[in-house]
C-alpha cells in the first residue's frame, strides 16, 4: 500500500487530536486576528480543516446545504487564515483571520451583533 498523495487527507497527527460530534464535526470560532473581535461560528469536518490548513482560506461544512463552502467565494467577503488553534478538549477550533468586509450573511461585520439584556455579575 502506497502513501497517500500530499494534501489529500488531514494529517493523522492533527486528526487524532480532534473530538468530533456524532456528525463528525467540530465547532470553529472565527476571530479577527488583530482586534480579537469574534466574527462568527461555523462547523468543520476533517476535509474542511485540511482545506483550510493547506490553502490559507477558511473552508467550512454547511450543515444546511450539506456541502463545503469557502468563506467569501460568492460574496467576496473572504477570510484569510492567519492562525488556527485547537482548544484543550479537542472539540473546538479557533480561526484567527483577516476578514474582508462583513462576516455575517446579514451584512453585519460580526454575526454577534444582537445584544441580549443580562444582569452583570460581580466577582466573588
Amino acid at each position: 500500500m502506497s502513501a497517500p498523495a500530499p494534501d489529500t487527507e488531514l494529517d493523522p497527527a492533527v486528526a487524532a487530536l480532534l473530538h468530533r460530534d456524532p456528525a463528525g464535526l467540530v465547532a470553529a470560532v472565527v476571530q479577527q486576528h488583530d482586534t480579537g473581535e469574534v466574527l462568527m461560528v461555523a462547523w468543520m469536518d476533517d476535509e474542511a480543516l485540511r482545506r483550510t490548513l493547506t490553502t490559507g482560506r477558511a473552508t467550512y461544512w454547511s450543515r444546511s446545504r450539506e456541502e463545503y463552502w469557502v468563506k467569501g467565494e460568492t460574496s467576496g467577503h473572504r477570510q484569510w487564515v492567519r492562525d488556527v488553534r485547537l482548544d484543550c478538549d479537542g472539540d473546538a477550533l479557533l480561526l484567527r483571520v483577516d476578514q474582508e468586509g462583513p462576516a455575517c450573511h446579514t451584512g453585519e461585520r460580526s454575526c454577534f451583533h444582537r445584544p441580549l439584556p443580562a444582569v452583570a455579575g460581580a466577582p466573588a
Side-chain angles (χ1 to χ4, degrees):
M1 180 175 197
S2 62
D7 296 340
T8 60
E9 65 180 40
L10 184 61
D11 179 337
V14 173
L17 297 172
L18 299 176
H19 292 151
R20 301 158 194 82
D21 73 5
L25 302 173
V26 294
V29 177
V30 185
Q31 181 182 50
Q32 176 63 33
H33 76 97
D34 53 354
T35 65
E37 178 184 22
V38 177
L39 300 171
M40 58 181 271
V41 173
W43 296 92
M44 297 178 122
D45 65 2
D46 286 17
E47 177 60 14
L49 180 56
R50 183 197 68 78
R51 291 181 188 189
T52 298
L53 294 173
T54 59
T55 67
R57 294 283 309 278
T59 304
Y60 306 106
W61 174 253
S62 171
R63 296 178 301 169
S64 59
R65 295 187 313 266
E66 296 188 351
E67 65 183 14
Y68 295 102
W69 57 284
V70 178
K71 181 67 174 169
E73 196 168 62
T74 56
S75 68
H77 303 146
R78 293 177 288 271
Q79 290 178 346
W80 301 99
V81 178
R82 296 294 188 95
D83 186 32
V84 179
R85 298 176 187 208
L86 182 63
D87 82 335
C88 58
D89 296 323
D91 60 1
L93 296 160
L94 174 64
L95 275 69
R96 296 175 21 137
V97 303
D98 189 8
Q99 174 71 45
E100 289 183 4
C104 186
H105 72 281
T106 66
E108 296 286 338
R109 170 77 180 160
S110 168
C111 292
F112 296 95
H113 62 275
R114 300 185 302 175
L116 297 177
V119 175

